[in-house]
Amino acid sequence: MAKSKRNTTKRKKETPTETPAIKAPSKKQWRLGAGMFLLFIGVFICFSVISYCFTWQQDQSELMSQGSIWAYLKAGGNQPANWGGRLGAAISHLLVYKWVGIASLAIGMFITIGGLGLLYGKRIIPVARYIRWSAILILLVAPLLTYLMPDASFSFGGAWGNEAIAYMNGLIGSAGTGLLLLGIVCFFVFVVFALDISPILRKAKKAAKKVAETAATLKPEKTESTTSEEAEPAEELKTGNTATEGVQPLESIEEETEQEDLNIELIDNQAEQHTVNDMYANKEEPTVNEVVEETPTPEPPVQEANTEVELNVPEAENKTKKKTEPTDEENLSFEVNQTDEEKIIPQHGGHISIQDNEKYAPELDLPDYHFPTLDLLEDREQQKIVLDKDELEQNKNQIIQTLRSFNIEIQRISATVGPTVTLYEIVPAEGVRISKIRNLEDDIALNLAALGIRIIAPIPGRGTIGIEVPNANKQIVTIRGILSSEKFATTKMSLPIALGKKIDNENYIVDLATMPHLLMAGATGQGKSVGINTILVSLLYKKHPSQLKFVMIDPKKVELSIYRTIENHFLAKLPDEEEAIITDTKKVINTLNSLCIEMDNRYELLKEAGSRNIKEYNAKFIRRKLNPEKGHKYLPFIVLVIDEFADLMMTAGKEVEMPIARLAQLARAVGIHLIIATQRPSVNVITGTIKANFPARIAFKVSAKVDSRTILDAGGAEQLIGRGDMLISFGSELLRLQCAFVDTPEVENVTDFIGEQRGYPSAFELPEYEGDEGGGSDKKADLTNRDKLFEECARTVVTSQSGSTSMLQRRFNLGYNRAGRIMDQLEAADIVGPSAGSKPREVLVHTEAELEQLLNSL
C-alpha cells in the first residue's frame, strides 16, 4: 500500500512537468513576443534618429568613405558616435540624409505605438489613418524645413526636401514656393483641427458696422444734403448698393434680424476623436461643429408668420412688437447638441464575428454552430440625423415667445436632436417657479402646433428644464445599425438587449439579467410586438443555444409562431408537449408551474454547490468543481416571454398570477427572467403583486394618463407619438427612446439561418407537471399502478437511507408531483414511513436484501 501511494504521488508530480513541453505557444504569447520586438525596434530607430541630429558629422565621413551602407556595417574601425552604434548610424543616415530628414521620426513612433498596441491587446492608433496622415505630414514637413533653412549644414529636410524645393523654385520661383507651402499648411491645419473662423469674421463685420454708424453720426449735414439732391439714387439704396442715408434704416433692420436670430452652435462631443479605428474610416461621419450663418435676407420666414398674426389680431400688435424687441435676446445663447453615430464594425463578406468572452463547456455539444450574420437583416440606409435649422430656430422662437407672454424669462436654451424627438433644455431666470413652466405644456404645444409635447421639470442631474418636441422629419432606427455597433459587439453583459436610441442618438443597450424582469405595455399598433422581436433578435445574435432557452407563451397564436424553426436550438417546453410555443391556457398554467419546479430544483443545486447565483454556479461547473453524478449540470438562462398577458388574466386569473409572482420574486438568482407584454395596462391586469416585482418597465403610447401611471407610476406615455416611441423606467431614471425596428421577414431570415443548422435532438425539457388531477392518495391504487421508476427509487432510498422527495427530483430529474406520487407508493409498500413535515421520511427497510424480498412479494 505504501509503495502504491508513492507511485501515485510521483505520477501526479510528473504530469504537470510533461504538459508544458507538449503544449505549443498560445496566440497571446506570440502577440506579446511580437509586441516586445516591435517596441524595441521603434525605440531604437527613434533614439538613432535623435542621436544623428548631434553626431552626424562624426559618423557621416566614415560612412561615405565606405561607399555603401553594407560595407560600413561589415567594416570595423573607430567606435561610432551614434547612440545606436553602426546599425543606428546607418539607419538614421538612410532615413534622415537620403530620405525625408528629421520627419522620419514618425516612422519610429509608428512602430513603437504598434508594439505597445500588441502588448496591451488592443489597437492604440488606427493603422490606415496614421499612415495616411504621417505620409502627408512627412511630404509637407521635409520641403518646409528645407525652405525655411536653405543654408543649414544639417539636412533637415533630407534628399526629398532638397529635390522638392529645387524643383518648385525653378517652376514658380522662391516667392511662389513660399506661398504654396503656406497655403498647404493652412489647409492641413484647418482640416485636421476643424477650425472655424466664422465667429471672428462675424465680430469683424459687427465692428465695421459700428465704425460706419459713428462715421454717419459725425457727418449729418453732409448726408442730408446728399439725400435732398439725389432722389433717384435713394431708391437704389433700398437694395443696399451705396453707403448714404438709405443705409441707416437697412442696417437697423439687419441688426434686429441678427439679434432675433440667435446663434446656433452645433456642439459635437466626439469631434476631436481623430484616433478612431481604421475600420471605421470608410464610414466617417462629417464634422458637426459648425455655426449657422446669419441669413442675408432682411425678411426671414418667422417675420412673415408674425405679420400674419398681426393682421388677424390687430389689438395685440403693439404687445407682440414690444416682446419681440431685441432687448435681451442678443445675450441669450442657443446651442444644438448632437452626438455622432456610434462606431460601426464593418462586415467581411456580410458576416460579423460576435463571440462571448467566456468559453462554456456545453458549447461543445454544438461545435459547428454559427452565429447569425448581419446580412440576414435588411440593409436600410443609415439615416443620419439631419438638422433642420429653420425648424430649430422657429421652435426656439416660439418657446421663448410663449414663455415671455407669461412673464417667464430664461437665461439659456439649447437643443439636442434625436431620431424622432428634439429635446430643448432651458435654464430659467432666478425667481421663476418650475411649476409655472410645467403648467404651460398645453400652451407650448398649441404654439408649436406639434403632437406629443412633453415637459421634464427638472431634468435629473442637469439643473435644466426639458421640453421634448417631435421632429417634422422622423428617422427609422434600424436593428442592424445597433447590432453592428462596437458597443454591442464588445459588450460583456450576460443577456444584452439592444432596445433603440436615446434622444442624444446614443445606442441604448441594457442587460436583461440586471433588470431582472421586464414589463411592457402600450396600445394596439404602437410597437409592442416589434419591441419583443427586437429583444429576441438581440439575444439570438449574442448567445449560444447552450447558454439560453426561451419559454414562449402566445395567446394570440400568431405573433411568436415565427420562432418555431429554432425549437431544437433555443426553445424549452414540457416533456409531452408537441408545440414548443404555448397557446392553450391550461398548458400555460402547467408550464408556469413547471418553471416554478425548475426554479426550486435550481435552488437546491445552488444550495449544494454553495453558490449564491447562477453565475457562480456555472463558473464552478466549468472549472469541474461540481460532480455531474450528483445531479449537477450546466444551467442555461431561461427567458419567459408572454405576448398578451391580459388575456391570460381574464381566462385563468389567480392560477396564472400566483406562479408569475413566485417567479418574479425568486427566479432572478437562478437565471430565469420574465418579459411580459400587454395592451391593457389596467389595475386588474397589472396587479400590485406583479408590479412590485417588475422594476424595469417599458411604456409605448397609451390612450389615457391613468394607463401611463399604472405602468410607469408617472405620466408621459399618453404624450408619445407612437411607431416605436417609448418610455423606459429602469433604476431611478425615466428615458425616452426610439425602439429599433426589425421587420417580420428579417426575423424569418434569422430563425431560418439558425434552424437550418444542426441542433439538439429535441427542445429543452422542463420538469414534468401534471396538475392536481395527477396526484392520488390511495395506497392500493398506487401499488397496482406503480411508476416505472418505482424500483430504482426504492433502491436509491434504501442505499442512501434518506426518504426525501427533493432527493428523488434531483437524482431522476422528476417533477414534484411525480416524485411525490412515487414517495406515496414507497410509503404504501412500507419502505418509508409517513411524512414528517420538512424532515426526511424514516426508511423502514435497512438492507438491499430485505428490499429485494419485499419487491418480489408485491
Side-chain angles (χ1 to χ4, degrees):
M1 291 294 292
K3 290 183 179 179
S4 61
K5 289 183 179 179
R6 292 176 184 175
N7 293 333
T8 54
T9 54
K10 288 182 180 179
R11 290 175 184 174
K12 290 181 180 178
K13 292 180 180 178
E14 291 176 357
T15 49
T17 57
E18 295 176 356
T19 306
I22 302 174
K23 190 176 180 181
S26 62
K27 293 183 179 179
K28 184 178 180 180
Q29 294 172 340
W30 281 109
R31 177 172 55 78
L32 293 176
M36 291 294 296
F37 181 70
L38 290 179
L39 182 63
F40 171 79
I41 292 178
V43 173
F44 181 79
I45 292 176
C46 292
F47 272 72
S48 300
V49 172
I50 295 173
S51 176
Y52 184 81
C53 297
F54 304 100
T55 63
W56 64 278
Q57 293 178 341
Q58 302 175 24
D59 297 334
Q60 190 176 26
S61 58
E62 184 179 353
L63 196 148
M64 299 290 279
S65 63
Q66 294 293 337
S68 66
I69 294 178
W70 292 110
Y72 174 72
L73 293 175
K74 293 179 181 178
N78 298 328
Q79 181 69 21
N82 193 287
W83 298 342
R86 291 185 178 276
L87 182 61
I91 292 175
S92 56
H93 177 76
L94 178 65
L95 294 176
V96 179
Y97 183 77
K98 291 191 175 183
W99 284 5
V100 292
I102 62 175
S104 58
L105 271 173
I107 300 174
M109 293 173 62
F110 171 70
I111 298 176
T112 303
I113 297 175
L116 289 175
L118 290 177
L119 289 177
Y120 281 103
K122 60 181 180 180
R123 196 171 296 172
I124 299 178
I125 60 172
V127 179
R129 179 172 294 184
Y130 184 87
I131 293 176
R132 182 170 66 250
W133 287 110
S134 297
I136 296 174
L137 187 64
I138 290 172
L139 295 177
L140 177 61
V141 169
L144 184 62
L145 293 177
T146 303
Y147 181 80
L148 295 177
M149 293 175 285
D151 300 328
S153 58
F154 180 76
S155 181
F156 288 95
W160 155 249
N162 296 332
E163 293 294 333
I165 293 299
Y167 177 77
M168 286 192 290
N169 285 339
L171 181 64
I172 57 178
S174 179
T177 301
L179 292 175
L180 178 61
L181 291 175
L182 180 61
I184 295 175
V185 169
C186 293
F187 175 78
F188 185 80
V189 170
F190 274 84
V191 170
V192 172
F193 297 101
L195 297 181
D196 190 2
I197 61 172
S198 54
I200 301 175
L201 297 177
R202 188 180 297 107
K203 291 180 180 179
K205 183 179 178 182
K206 291 182 179 180
K209 288 180 180 180
K210 291 181 180 180
V211 172
E213 289 178 3
T214 55
T217 55
L218 292 175
K219 299 179 180 180
E221 296 178 356
K222 188 175 180 179
T223 53
E224 289 177 1
S225 61
T226 52
T227 52
S228 61
E229 291 175 0
E230 298 177 359
E232 295 180 358
E235 297 294 333
E236 298 177 356
L237 293 177
K238 295 181 180 179
T239 61
N241 294 328
T242 59
T244 53
E245 182 185 355
V247 177
Q248 191 167 357
L250 179 60
E251 289 176 352
S252 62
I253 293 174
E254 289 180 353
E255 286 181 359
E256 290 179 2
T257 55
E258 288 175 1
Q259 292 168 352
E260 289 178 357
D261 298 335
L262 302 179
N263 298 331
I264 303 178
E265 297 179 358
L266 308 180
I267 299 176
D268 183 11
N269 295 331
Q270 301 174 353
E272 296 181 357
Q273 294 181 358
H274 296 288
T275 59
V276 185
N277 201 320
D278 61 331
M279 60 176 65
Y280 311 119
N282 296 330
K283 298 185 179 181
E284 222 174 301
E285 297 290 340
T287 305
V288 193
N289 286 349
E290 60 178 1
V291 177
V292 179
E293 297 182 355
E294 300 173 354
T295 56
T297 56
E299 296 180 358
V302 179
Q303 291 185 355
E304 293 179 1
N306 289 337
T307 55
E308 293 178 2
V309 174
E310 290 173 1
L311 290 176
N312 295 331
V313 189
E315 296 180 357
E317 182 176 359
N318 296 329
K319 294 182 180 180
T320 55
K321 285 184 178 180
K322 290 181 181 180
K323 288 174 182 177
T324 56
E325 285 180 0
T327 56
D328 297 330
E329 290 187 11
E330 61 183 358
N331 298 324
L332 188 63
S333 62
F334 177 50
E335 299 175 353
V336 181
N337 304 324
Q338 185 194 19
T339 56
D340 280 346
E341 295 287 337
E342 294 201 11
K343 300 177 183 179
I344 302 299
I345 295 182
Q347 311 180 62
H348 301 284
H351 297 272
I352 182 171
S353 177
I354 301 179
Q355 299 179 353
D356 291 323
N357 295 326
E358 298 179 354
K359 296 295 182 181
Y360 296 122
E363 291 179 352
L364 299 177
D365 295 340
L366 298 177
D368 299 330
Y369 177 79
H370 297 284
F371 286 90
T373 54
L374 284 181
D375 57 351
L376 300 173
L377 303 175
E378 187 174 347
D379 189 10
R380 300 181 179 87
E381 293 185 4
Q382 293 293 329
Q383 297 182 355
K384 302 170 187 177
I385 301 300
V386 179
L387 298 177
D388 190 349
K389 299 168 187 176
D390 295 335
E391 179 185 353
L392 291 174
E393 189 70 17
Q394 184 177 0
N395 289 341
K396 180 262 301 183
N397 291 334
Q398 292 290 347
I399 292 174
I400 294 174
Q401 185 177 354
T402 304
L403 294 176
R404 284 184 176 174
S405 63
F406 290 92
N407 297 324
I408 298 176
E409 295 293 335
I410 61 176
Q411 297 177 356
R412 181 172 55 86
I413 181 170
S414 61
T416 303
V417 183
T420 57
V421 177
T422 299
L423 174 64
Y424 293 87
E425 294 185 57
I426 62 175
V427 178
E430 295 182 1
V432 176
R433 292 185 178 180
I434 297 177
S435 59
K436 196 173 182 181
I437 300 177
R438 189 187 293 116
N439 296 331
L440 298 178
E441 185 173 349
D442 296 334
D443 299 285
I444 296 175
L446 176 64
N447 290 337
L448 294 177
L451 179 65
I453 300 295
R454 179 169 168 263
I455 294 181
I456 311 171
I459 298 179
R462 292 195 185 181
T464 58
I465 296 176
I467 302 175
E468 294 176 349
V469 181
N471 297 335
N473 298 320
K474 303 175 181 62
Q475 280 109 19
I476 298 177
V477 177
T478 61
I479 184 67
R480 178 168 180 166
I482 301 181
L483 296 184
S484 61
S485 65
E486 184 184 24
K487 184 177 181 180
F488 182 82
T490 60
T491 183
K492 297 180 181 179
M493 299 177 181
S494 299
L495 295 174
I497 54 178
L499 286 177
K501 287 191 176 184
K502 297 193 287 187
I503 290 181
D504 58 358
N505 206 32
E506 179 185 355
N507 292 338
Y508 188 78
I509 300 171
V510 69
D511 191 359
L512 179 62
T514 61
M515 281 186 164
H517 311 295
L518 183 60
L519 185 62
M520 304 173 64
T524 304
Q526 303 304 323
K528 284 194 316 301
S529 298
V530 175
I532 292 177
N533 288 332
T534 299
I535 294 173
L536 297 180
V537 170
S538 302
L539 295 174
L540 292 178
Y541 265 86
K542 197 64 179 171
K543 306 307 291 183
H544 191 271
S546 62
Q547 300 171 338
L548 176 65
K549 302 297 176 183
F550 293 109
V551 177
M552 296 188 178
I553 298 176
D554 184 16
K556 296 181 181 178
K557 302 181 180 180
V558 293
E559 293 292 344
L560 300 178
S561 60
I562 194 172
Y563 296 97
R564 281 197 180 98
T565 55
I566 60 173
E567 176 179 341
N568 293 344
H569 297 82
F570 284 98
L571 298 189
K573 65 178 183 179
L574 292 174
D576 299 331
E577 293 295 331
E578 297 180 358
E579 295 290 335
I581 300 175
I582 304 131
T583 57
D584 189 5
T585 304
K586 293 183 180 178
K587 296 180 179 179
V588 169
I589 298 173
N590 294 339
T591 302
L592 293 178
N593 286 282
S594 176
L595 274 177
C596 292
I597 297 173
E598 175 71 15
M599 178 185 68
D600 295 335
N601 294 341
R602 289 191 173 197
Y603 269 113
E604 289 291 337
L605 294 177
L606 263 65
K607 177 183 176 182
E608 292 184 358
S611 302
R612 296 181 60 187
N613 52 51
I614 186 175
K615 195 171 183 179
E616 296 178 3
Y617 178 86
N618 285 336
K620 289 183 178 181
F621 186 84
I622 292 168
R623 295 195 299 267
R624 302 181 184 276
K625 292 186 176 181
L626 301 177
N627 189 359
E629 294 181 357
K630 294 184 179 180
H632 292 290
K633 58 184 177 179
Y634 180 81
L635 301 179
F637 286 99
I638 298 179
V639 178
L640 171 64
V641 182
I642 302 178
D643 189 24
E644 185 46 64
F645 186 62
D647 183 73
L648 296 180
M649 291 296 292
M650 290 176 61
T651 55
K654 293 294 182 181
E655 293 179 319
V656 172
E657 182 182 0
M658 187 187 72
I660 289 291
R662 283 204 67 210
L663 292 172
Q665 290 171 353
L666 302 174
R668 171 185 181 178
V670 293
I672 301 177
H673 304 279
L674 281 62
I675 300 175
I676 296 178
T678 179
Q679 63 182 0
R680 191 166 63 89
S682 61
V683 181
N684 298 330
V685 176
I686 305 176
T687 61
T689 305
I690 294 176
K691 193 174 179 181
N693 294 287
F694 282 80
R697 305 168 196 169
I698 291 178
F700 293 89
K701 182 177 175 58
V702 295
S703 57
K705 193 171 185 178
V706 178
D707 296 337
S708 177
R709 292 189 176 276
T710 303
I711 180 67
L712 296 175
D713 292 331
E718 75 281 358
Q719 299 291 347
L720 300 177
I721 59 177
R723 298 181 62 85
D725 190 17
M726 67 180 186
L727 292 173
I728 178 170
S729 174
F730 178 49
S732 59
E733 59 181 357
L734 183 65
L735 294 177
R736 188 169 185 174
L737 304 178
Q738 177 61 36
C739 183
F741 177 73
V742 56
D743 204 359
T744 303
E746 299 177 76
V747 182
E748 288 180 350
N749 294 336
V750 175
T751 53
D752 291 343
F753 177 84
I754 297 175
E756 291 173 357
Q757 303 183 49
R758 184 176 69 88
Y760 294 100
S762 61
F764 182 82
E765 289 190 357
L766 298 174
E768 183 181 2
Y769 180 81
E770 297 182 358
D772 296 335
E773 67 276 8
S777 59
D778 190 3
K779 295 183 179 181
K780 294 182 179 180
D782 290 338
L783 292 177
T784 54
N785 299 315
R786 288 178 299 203
D787 195 277
K788 296 179 180 179
L789 298 176
F790 173 78
E791 294 184 0
E792 294 184 18
C793 292
R795 292 187 180 93
T796 302
V797 168
V798 172
T799 303
S800 62
Q801 288 295 305
S802 174
S804 171
T805 306
S806 60
M807 185 264 293
L808 296 181
Q809 288 181 260
R810 294 193 305 273
R811 292 289 180 89
F812 299 97
N813 196 19
L814 301 177
Y816 178 79
N817 286 338
R818 187 178 179 184
R821 187 168 60 251
I822 294 176
M823 189 60 65
D824 291 338
Q825 294 173 358
L826 294 175
E827 180 184 356
D830 294 331
I831 297 176
V832 297
S835 176
S838 59
K839 297 180 180 180
R841 295 170 182 254
E842 181 184 1
V843 182
L844 303 178
V845 179
H846 301 287
T847 62
E848 295 186 3
E850 294 179 9
L851 176 63
E852 293 296 333
Q853 184 177 1
L854 181 61
L855 293 176
N856 294 330
S857 63
L858 293 178

